[in-house]
Amino acid sequence: MANASSASPLMPKGTALWLIRNTALSFKQIADFCGLHVLEVQNLADDEHTSIAPFDPIASGQLTAHDIEEGEKNTNRSLSLAKATPLVKKKGAKKYVPVARRSDRTNAILWIIKNYPKIPDSKIVKLLSSTLKMVQSIRDKSYWNYANLEPHNPVSLYLCKEFELEALVEKYS
């Protein structure tokens, strides 16, 4: 039986097992919510030695305790997935640059400085998750390994997205 919202919870059998063990919801309510057949839910309830791990839908944010309470009071009430809250990026949080790409960062900084010298150092720092000291030392050619740097496009090095670089170039060109 499909869930009314046509979206199933993560790990539907594990979720069903948790709901069986921890709530007084009917098998039909659990089956409808998890996208399972009522007989599958009944089989999960009967099998005490199942290899399926229970999965808490409240802790994972898929269901609220209030919905479960309402469902326990009214067996005709169907459960639905909780609305997902969008992930909010912390202001000032740096993006992760893989260790293998960190040595390429200096080449990307040099490329931006050579091709777009009007872009401020602070914007380069933010775009490439670098430090102001590194950008300034490359700009004034005092970087310890400057002689061995080769300018490379940061997009081709996977250090930033093309639309991010284009927006910066448009703003400061």
Side-chain angles (χ1 to χ4, degrees):
M1 303 288 158
N3 187 3
S5 66
S6 75
S8 295
L10 294 172
M11 300 175 53
K13 287 186 179 182
T15 300
L17 187 59
W18 188 92
L19 291 169
I20 291 166
R21 291 181 179 174
N22 297 292
T23 69
L25 295 169
S26 70
F27 287 167
K28 180 167 179 12
Q29 287 173 306
I30 295 171
D32 288 345
F33 176 70
C34 295
L36 303 172
H37 192 276
V38 176
L39 293 176
E40 285 181 284
V41 175
Q42 187 173 356
N43 186 34
L44 285 171
D46 293 342
D47 189 8
E48 291 183 19
H49 304 289
T50 184
S51 61
I52 298 170
F55 185 72
D56 184 352
I58 297 172
S60 64
Q62 300 178 89
L63 197 58
T64 64
H66 177 71
D67 284 340
I68 292 175
E69 290 171 11
E70 293 295 316
E72 289 172 335
K73 291 176 187 173
N74 180 3
T75 57
N76 293 327
R77 185 178 192 280
S78 61
L79 303 173
S80 60
L81 285 172
K83 300 280 188 232
T85 56
L87 295 175
V88 178
K89 187 177 177 184
K90 292 180 184 175
K91 188 172 182 174
K94 290 191 174 191
K95 30 185 184 180
Y96 175 74
V97 177
V99 174
R101 295 275 171 221
R102 290 180 190 164
S103 62
D104 295 335
R105 193 182 303 162
T106 53
N107 294 326
I109 293 169
L110 181 62
W111 186 87
I112 291 174
I113 290 171
K114 283 190 177 238
N115 292 299
Y116 305 102
K118 293 181 181 177
I119 296 177
D121 293 352
S122 61
K123 298 299 180 182
I124 297 172
V125 166
K126 188 173 182 182
L127 179 69
L128 300 178
S129 297
S130 182
T131 63
L132 192 57
K133 183 177 179 181
M134 181 183 287
V135 175
Q136 288 171 343
S137 66
I138 292 172
R139 191 178 290 275
D140 63 18
K141 300 178 182 173
S142 65
Y143 182 69
W144 71 273
N145 199 18
Y146 186 82
N148 295 323
L149 293 182
E150 295 179 18
H152 288 287
N153 186 328
V155 175
S156 65
L157 294 173
Y158 302 103
L159 293 172
C160 68
K161 303 220 182 321
E162 188 171 358
F163 73 89
E164 295 172 325
L165 181 60
E166 286 177 2
L168 204 56
V169 168
E170 274 184 38
K171 187 173 182 179
Y172 293 101
S173 290

